Amino acid sequence: MPTAISDRPTLESLTSTFPLTFPTPTPTTHPDLVSTKDLHREEDLLRNPFSFRHWWTAIQNVKETAAAEQKAEGPSDLPPEVAALLGPLSSPAARKSFQRQVYLYEAALSQFPASFKLWKSYLQTRMSFVLGKLVMKKKAGGRKKFPEMREALEEEKEDLEQWEGGLDGVVGWEEWRLLIATFERALMWLPRMPRIWLLYLSIFNHPFCPPQVSHTHARRTFDRALRTLPPSLHARIWTRYLLWAEAKGGATTVAVYRRYLAVDPSVTERYTAILLSPSNPEPRPLEAAKLLLALARKAARGEYTSPEGKSPYQLLTEFLEVVEQYAEEVGMDVPDTIDSNARIAKAAEEEAATQQSVEPASVDGKLIRFAGPAVSASDGKLVAPYDEDEDPRSKRKLNVEDIVRKDGLEVYKDQAGRLWTGLATYWIKRGEFDRAKHTFERGLASVLTIRDFTQIFDAYAEFSESLISAMMESLANPDEDEDEEDVKETEKELDAKMKEFEELMDRRPFLVNDVLLRRNPNDVQEWEKRVALWGDNDEKVAETYSQALATVNPRRATANFHRLYINFAKFYEEGGTRGEAEPDLDSARKILDKATKVNFKSVDELAEVWCEWAEMEIRNENYDEAIRVMQRAAAIPKNTKVNYFDHTLPVQARLFKSLKLWSFYVDLEESLGTVESTKAVYDKILDLRIANAQIIVNYASFLEENKYYEESFKVYERGTELFTYPVSFEIWNIYLAKFVKRYGGSKIERTRDLFEQALDKCPPKHSKPIFLMYATFEEEHGLAKRAMSIYDRATNAVADEDKFELFTIYIAKAAENYGLPATRPIYERALEILPDKQTAEMCLRFAAMERKLGEIDRARAIYAHASQFCDPRVNPKFWQEWNNFEIETGSEDTFREMLRIKRSVQAQFNTEASYLAAQMAAKQNGQETEAEAPPADPMAAAERQATGGGGKAPAFVSAKQNTNVRVEEAEERQAAPQGNEEEIHISDDEV
């Protein structure tokens, strides 16, 4: 009994079925191609062999019939795996339909060999039977007409044809070969049709494409398409060509991409990604690195723009990442790198030595070149000379150190940290740890920012820690073949590495300081920090001070550059930082003497150096030497007409006008010198016209202490001549007080002259204290009448804000000397002069004085006069006092008059601004107004206020009272009983 396995067809039996269409099937070779039903069609085609419509209709009818037969056909009897090998030709009906359609297409093409429509339909039909069913993809949106190659590759990769099923390339090799032959025949007739070329090229991406045609034949077909089609259509071919090359990989990808990059370098980044792809069995890191280096250089020159929007620095970073990852394959080793660096340095020296300045010359208006090597040009632009580092075909490895220096550190100085760490990582990957350490040290010694320093230092520390950890692990787990000597050597090396790591950590503050000083060598504060870092190391401290003074530019130094000289001198004076050495005053003097010759930014810095020098001599009890130092510093040149603020002159030429220097000098003379020497210094200060008010006061006080009273008064007078108000006011104030205290009433006329001189040009805002002092002097030592006249003058001369106070004092003095009635004219004059706000207060005092004298009518008139300045809502105190006055001394008529005046004034102030001001004043004083119905009888209201009716203090007239007097009178007239309407009213004026 046969088994199931023996029923399965063999490979030979399957391949023997093919070819189905060679030779071309005809009714003579295949009688079953034409049935009796097809005779009418055949006769029609024989009658009309040149009618394309008849042929096309016949072909479409055959296709429809074949499709119907295949649907009606039941499932295949073949096993699924056999059916999968045969694909669309697995059933006999499909094979017969294929032969019929081929027969008709071949017959039609014999009549119309140049018909594109017929050839395209024929090729698609054969492809459907060989390649399988084409999967149609849904597309969203349109495509760009002329996209960039990068975008075109992405879109084409998504739109690449896919098939379901298909004839196996081994079983159906003959049909695959015939399909290719058919494409070749079509291209023989229609070589310029890009659609036929694209259909032809699409079969090479089929998964069942036989290897005999999917490699070399496919590559040659792509090349033929590029040679045949015009350049405007090459982009459509190249997209499929590049995608096919990517799928094949290996040398094919490299060869195809190199050809395309010669035309369009925009896909270089995609190519480098393919070369380094993890799926690439043969990565080419050297070629990728050279391509990325070339792109980074072109982008830096502005000759290349990345399609992915990458900057030149990003391209260089990608190159550096490739170098780090494939250090052995890309870069040179240490000896080759050293030799290459030496050759590059030598070439640079020779170029610098032979370089000559070429002067332009012209012949007939055109410039010609006299010397120099020939330079190639393209389209009017200079072409960069050949560089083997940018040639991807060259096998020479790269000098990574030179590339990072030229293309990285010299161009991207703000990214030095990343570049140095990348270079060090490259050496670490190669196992060159000493070279990596040397690279880290060079980076730390050259960066200019803390960010770059931190990046390099952290990487350096991490490298050292990993190295120590690896050595400790090797000691913990030694190999069997290691002997004791190897272990001891490893332990010794580990101790050395740990010591180096500790030294690195200790050096960090110094390295940070180095970075800041490289960024700004004129930073005085950083030099001071540098000195502090050395601590008790006197030798390094002195060396640092010397280096700082030699490095810093005085005109560009930061603040307090002179402190470096002063601190350096103190270092020698105190015998080092710890004071263990002997003080070296000679060295300190030399340093300070050198400092006095430095052209500092300001005169004050030089003056402070001289002052510190003198203080140093005083601390060491060399008093005469301190005086001599200050004499040297304060030497006055012959030409004293020098502008102290002229910065074009050196500070030494302007030093003699430094008030700081002279102040210290005069203090020194007061302490150590004689009276005459001190007076001489003060006089020089005054002669140079650099004195301030404090110098004048100090000079006068010094003379007064030494019993030179008249000379001190002369100094005061000299000061008043030198300065104007307000400075002169302070001097006059002290001078007059001293003079009065000294002489009292013995020199009255002279004192009066001094007061008059002080008041002569005194501005009003400063004259009040002098007037008061003058009047006090007259009261104590002169005449009371003269004192009253001074007060009277003062009320006119002082500022407005001081007049009220002066009038108050004037009135008090007048009442004391002449009695209360004598104050009436002063009050009246005050009411004329004082501003409105102060007039009301003065009126209250005036009225109180008149009440004391029993002049009730005069007091009432004063209240009435003051009422025009007092808004009832803002100044309730005034109206309350007048109210109390009327209750105590007035009558009903006078009280009515007071209320009428109050309403009139309130109406006068009844504006929005005054209303808001009243509300603010009420809030500040904590007062609240309540609206109450006005009583009918004003006297009843007065009694109610006096008795505190309602549990409240006496209040004003209710706010509901109409403040408009005219409106209120009109209302009263309307409320009054009407008399005779025809009565004639005659006023008093008419009578």
Side-chain angles (χ1 to χ4, degrees):
M1 180 177 177
T3 61
I5 298 176
S6 62
D7 294 340
R8 291 183 179 181
T10 62
L11 179 63
E12 290 78 7
S13 63
L14 291 176
T15 55
S16 63
T17 309
F18 304 100
L20 297 174
T21 58
F22 185 80
T24 304
T26 61
T28 57
T29 58
H30 296 75
D32 54 350
L33 287 181
V34 179
S35 63
T36 55
K37 298 178 181 180
D38 300 329
L39 292 177
H40 178 71
R41 181 197 67 197
E42 293 293 326
E43 292 174 357
D44 189 28
L45 292 175
L46 288 174
R47 284 194 298 270
N48 301 289
F50 303 109
S51 174
F52 182 82
R53 182 173 60 82
H54 286 78
W55 284 102
W56 187 256
T57 303
I59 292 171
Q60 297 304 318
N61 290 335
V62 170
K63 284 186 176 183
E64 293 174 1
T65 303
E69 290 178 356
Q70 288 183 359
K71 288 182 179 180
E73 188 178 16
S76 176
D77 298 334
L78 298 175
E81 58 271 15
V82 176
L85 292 175
L86 296 177
L89 299 176
S90 60
S91 65
R95 291 193 287 271
K96 185 58 67 180
S97 174
F98 181 38
Q99 289 176 336
R100 286 175 181 171
Q101 293 183 43
V102 169
Y103 157 67
L104 281 176
Y105 272 116
E106 291 290 346
L109 287 171
S110 64
Q111 301 297 329
F112 305 101
S115 172
F116 169 75
K117 183 176 181 180
L118 199 58
W119 273 113
K120 181 183 177 183
S121 178
Y122 181 29
L123 294 172
Q124 289 177 338
T125 300
R126 292 199 71 128
M127 289 173 67
S128 66
F129 281 101
V130 176
L131 304 183
K133 182 181 178 181
L134 182 64
V135 178
M136 303 300 294
K137 298 179 181 180
K138 295 182 179 180
K139 300 179 182 179
R143 299 178 61 178
K144 291 184 179 179
K145 191 173 183 181
F146 300 106
E148 295 289 338
M149 181 54 70
R150 182 178 65 87
E151 299 175 357
L153 286 172
E154 297 295 335
E155 293 177 359
E156 191 68 27
K157 192 172 183 178
E158 294 177 359
D159 299 341
L160 211 59
E161 296 89 348
Q162 294 181 1
W163 294 269
E164 291 182 356
L167 182 61
D168 184 73
V170 176
V171 175
W173 157 244
E174 292 296 334
E175 286 303 328
W176 276 93
R177 186 176 59 80
L178 291 174
L179 174 63
I180 292 171
T182 306
F183 268 108
E184 295 291 342
R185 287 168 50 209
L187 291 173
M188 180 182 67
W189 287 102
L190 303 170
R192 300 286 183 177
M193 292 297 171
R195 178 53 57 187
I196 296 179
W197 280 107
L198 293 174
L199 286 174
Y200 188 11
L201 298 176
S202 66
I203 69 175
F204 301 126
N205 293 319
H206 197 280
F208 295 161
C209 184
Q212 296 91 324
V213 296
S214 64
H215 289 82
T216 304
H217 177 77
R219 178 173 53 80
R220 291 175 178 173
T221 304
F222 277 111
D223 294 342
R224 285 168 50 207
L226 291 172
R227 288 196 299 269
T228 304
L229 293 175
S232 61
L233 298 174
H234 282 190
R236 304 178 67 181
I237 304 300
W238 272 116
T239 52
R240 290 182 173 270
Y241 199 179
L242 294 176
L243 291 175
W244 173 82
E246 291 179 13
K248 296 304 173 185
T252 303
T253 304
V254 175
V256 174
Y257 260 98
R258 282 180 178 176
R259 285 178 55 194
Y260 183 73
L261 292 178
V263 179
D264 179 15
S266 64
V267 293
T268 306
E269 297 174 42
R270 182 186 180 93
Y271 177 42
T272 56
I274 293 171
L275 292 177
L276 301 173
S277 174
S279 60
N280 189 357
E282 298 179 0
R284 294 171 176 259
L286 180 59
E287 183 176 351
K290 290 188 175 183
L291 288 171
L292 287 172
L293 178 61
L295 289 183
R297 289 177 174 175
K298 289 180 181 178
R301 295 194 298 264
E303 300 174 3
Y304 173 77
T305 302
S306 171
E308 299 179 7
K310 296 178 181 177
S311 64
Y313 171 71
Q314 288 177 312
L315 294 172
L316 186 66
T317 304
E318 291 186 2
F319 160 78
L320 205 56
E321 291 173 355
V322 174
V323 169
E324 293 173 0
Q325 188 175 359
Y326 303 94
E328 294 286 347
E329 295 87 348
V330 175
M332 299 179 179
D333 55 11
V334 175
D336 293 341
T337 301
I338 294 174
D339 295 341
S340 177
N341 290 338
R343 288 194 300 271
I344 292 172
K346 185 177 179 181
E349 291 177 0
E350 292 177 356
E351 184 180 358
T354 57
Q355 189 175 10
Q356 299 177 357
S357 59
V358 180
E359 297 181 0
S362 61
V363 176
D364 297 332
K366 296 181 179 180
L367 294 176
I368 63 173
R369 179 174 54 82
F370 276 102
V375 180
S376 58
S378 175
D379 298 333
K381 297 181 179 179
L382 297 180
V383 179
Y386 172 76
D387 190 350
E388 196 171 357
D389 290 344
E390 300 178 12
D391 186 5
R393 294 179 174 83
S394 174
K395 299 297 182 182
R396 192 188 76 174
K397 294 185 178 180
L398 300 175
N399 184 351
V400 179
E401 277 192 358
D402 183 65
I403 293 171
V404 170
R405 178 177 59 84
K406 287 184 178 178
D407 299 298
L409 296 172
E410 293 181 0
V411 179
Y412 309 106
K413 297 180 180 180
D414 57 334
Q415 301 293 337
R418 172 67 183 91
L419 297 172
W420 280 112
T421 52
L423 181 57
T425 305
Y426 160 74
W427 288 118
I428 293 171
K429 290 292 184 67
R430 292 190 66 95
E432 302 290 347
F433 299 136
D434 292 338
R435 194 73 177 181
K437 178 183 174 183
H438 177 64
T439 302
F440 278 126
E441 292 289 346
R442 287 172 57 197
L444 293 175
S446 61
V447 293
L448 299 176
T449 62
I450 295 297
R451 179 177 63 88
D452 293 334
F453 167 81
T454 305
Q455 195 171 359
I456 297 174
F457 187 86
D458 292 346
Y460 192 5
E462 185 179 354
F463 160 67
S464 300
E465 289 177 354
S466 61
L467 198 60
I468 292 172
S469 300
M471 295 178 70
M472 293 176 70
E473 288 180 4
S474 66
L475 287 175
N477 303 311
D479 296 336
E480 295 180 357
D481 55 350
E482 287 187 0
D483 53 9
E484 293 182 0
E485 293 183 359
D486 294 337
V487 173
K488 290 181 179 180
E489 188 68 26
T490 305
E491 290 178 353
K492 187 183 296 184
E493 186 177 355
L494 176 61
D495 292 340
K497 294 296 181 184
M498 293 184 70
K499 185 177 179 181
E500 290 177 0
F501 181 70
E502 291 174 359
E503 291 177 353
L504 176 64
M505 293 294 107
D506 293 339
R507 283 194 299 137
R508 192 180 193 284
F510 292 92
L511 294 173
V512 172
N513 186 259
D514 286 338
V515 172
L516 297 174
L517 288 177
R518 277 196 300 273
R519 186 173 63 184
N520 183 13
N522 300 311
D523 193 339
V524 176
Q525 287 70 31
E526 290 303 324
W527 282 110
E528 292 286 1
K529 291 179 183 177
R530 182 78 169 187
V531 172
L533 287 174
W534 287 115
D536 298 335
N537 192 337
D538 292 346
E539 183 179 351
K540 288 294 184 180
V541 168
E543 182 182 345
T544 303
Y545 272 124
S546 301
Q547 184 181 359
L549 297 179
T551 304
V552 177
N553 184 347
R555 305 300 295 177
R556 297 181 180 179
T558 57
N560 298 325
F561 174 49
H562 64 287
R563 298 302 308 175
L564 282 178
Y565 284 96
I566 294 171
N567 294 337
F568 194 13
K570 283 185 178 180
F571 170 76
Y572 280 110
E573 179 192 357
E574 296 171 357
T577 54
R578 289 178 294 183
E580 296 179 355
E582 294 184 2
D584 189 358
L585 292 180
D586 292 337
S587 298
R589 291 189 184 104
K590 289 179 181 178
I591 293 169
L592 292 173
D593 183 62
K594 184 179 179 181
T596 59
K597 299 173 184 177
V598 176
N599 187 17
F600 294 101
K601 287 200 293 187
S602 66
V603 179
D604 285 345
E605 293 185 55
L606 180 59
E608 191 165 345
V609 170
W610 282 106
C611 295
E612 287 289 340
W613 190 352
E615 286 185 358
M616 182 190 73
E617 299 294 349
I618 294 171
R619 285 195 297 269
N620 292 275
E621 300 180 356
N622 297 325
Y623 304 118
D624 294 339
E625 184 64 27
I627 295 293
R628 282 194 291 270
V629 168
M630 294 312 299
Q631 288 175 350
R632 281 181 56 193
I636 300 176
K638 294 181 180 179
N639 181 18
T640 59
K641 297 180 180 180
V642 175
N643 186 0
Y644 179 77
F645 300 100
D646 186 2
H647 293 282
T648 59
L649 298 175
V651 291
Q652 285 78 8
R654 297 177 282 148
L655 179 63
F656 72 97
K657 284 196 173 184
S658 171
L659 184 59
K660 186 175 186 178
L661 179 74
W662 284 103
S663 298
F664 183 83
Y665 185 16
V666 78
D667 290 343
L668 192 63
E669 286 289 352
E670 286 187 18
S671 303
L672 303 177
T674 62
V675 175
E676 297 300 326
S677 62
T678 307
K679 288 171 59 179
V681 175
Y682 272 120
D683 290 337
K684 287 181 181 179
I685 296 174
L686 296 177
D687 292 340
L688 290 172
R689 303 183 71 82
I690 61 173
N692 57 14
Q694 189 63 47
I695 293 291
I696 299 296
V697 174
N698 291 345
Y699 188 13
S701 299
F702 170 76
L703 293 174
E704 185 180 357
E705 290 173 2
N706 290 278
K707 312 300 182 182
Y708 292 91
Y709 298 109
E710 285 298 329
E711 291 188 18
S712 70
F713 295 150
K714 290 180 181 179
V715 171
Y716 282 125
E717 291 178 2
R718 194 171 178 183
T720 58
E721 294 174 359
L722 286 174
F723 301 101
T724 59
Y725 285 93
V727 179
S728 178
F729 166 74
E730 302 295 338
I731 300 175
W732 274 115
N733 210 2
I734 299 172
Y735 179 25
L736 293 172
K738 295 281 187 182
F739 193 88
V740 172
K741 182 180 178 182
R742 170 68 179 166
Y743 293 109
S746 59
K747 295 186 178 183
I748 295 178
E749 293 301 326
R750 182 179 173 185
T751 307
R752 288 172 177 168
D753 290 341
L754 290 177
F755 276 112
E756 293 297 336
Q757 290 177 22
L759 293 170
D760 186 19
K761 297 180 180 179
C762 183
K765 66 178 182 178
H766 293 113
S767 60
K768 173 189 164 185
I770 299 177
F771 272 114
L772 293 177
M773 190 185 300
Y774 192 6
T776 304
F777 167 76
E778 289 292 347
E779 289 176 7
E780 294 177 356
H781 306 287
L783 302 175
K785 183 179 180 182
R786 192 173 182 87
M788 292 299 104
S789 65
I790 292 170
Y791 282 123
D792 188 64
R793 282 174 56 192
T795 55
N796 290 322
V798 298
D800 291 342
E801 58 269 16
D802 296 329
K803 287 182 178 179
F804 184 83
E805 184 180 355
L806 264 176
F807 269 112
T808 304
I809 298 172
Y810 187 15
I811 291 169
K813 295 293 183 181
E816 179 183 350
N817 294 326
Y818 302 109
L820 287 176
T823 60
R824 280 199 184 104
I826 303 174
Y827 275 116
E828 292 172 357
R829 198 157 147 273
L831 297 181
E832 296 175 0
I833 296 176
L834 291 177
D836 293 347
K837 292 182 179 180
Q838 296 175 348
T839 300
E841 180 64 26
M842 189 60 69
C843 286
L844 289 176
R845 297 186 181 186
F846 193 8
M849 187 273 292
E850 293 292 353
R851 289 179 64 185
K852 289 180 181 179
L853 296 176
E855 298 289 344
I856 304 301
D857 293 337
R858 291 179 63 87
R860 185 174 289 110
I862 294 169
Y863 279 124
H865 173 74
S867 63
Q868 60 183 319
F869 309 114
C870 301
D871 187 352
R873 289 164 297 194
V874 179
N875 298 315
K877 180 182 176 182
F878 168 80
W879 293 99
Q880 181 66 37
E881 189 169 338
W882 193 3
N883 185 75
N884 296 338
F885 169 75
E886 292 295 345
I887 291 173
E888 294 175 3
T889 62
S891 62
E892 183 178 353
D893 294 336
T894 59
F895 197 89
R896 281 181 179 277
E897 181 66 16
M898 185 269 291
L899 293 177
R900 187 191 66 77
I901 293 174
K902 182 177 180 180
R903 289 193 296 271
S904 175
V905 171
Q906 190 166 354
Q908 179 184 353
F909 285 99
N910 192 16
T911 60
E912 183 180 0
S914 65
Y915 178 74
L916 294 176
Q919 294 298 322
M920 291 299 296
K923 288 182 180 180
Q924 291 176 0
N925 297 329
Q927 297 173 349
E928 297 182 358
T929 59
E930 285 191 2
E932 299 179 357
D937 188 5
M939 289 305 294
E943 292 176 1
R944 183 171 178 270
Q945 291 177 1
T947 57
K952 294 184 180 180
F956 296 115
V957 178
S958 173
K960 288 186 177 180
Q961 178 69 29
N962 196 332
T963 56
N964 193 327
V965 178
R966 295 180 180 178
V967 175
E968 186 176 350
E969 292 176 354
E971 292 176 353
E972 291 176 355
R973 286 196 300 270
Q974 292 176 3
Q978 294 186 359
N980 187 4
E981 295 181 357
E982 297 180 359
E983 183 181 358
I984 299 174
H985 298 279
I986 301 174
S987 64
D988 296 337
D989 295 337
E990 292 177 351
V991 176

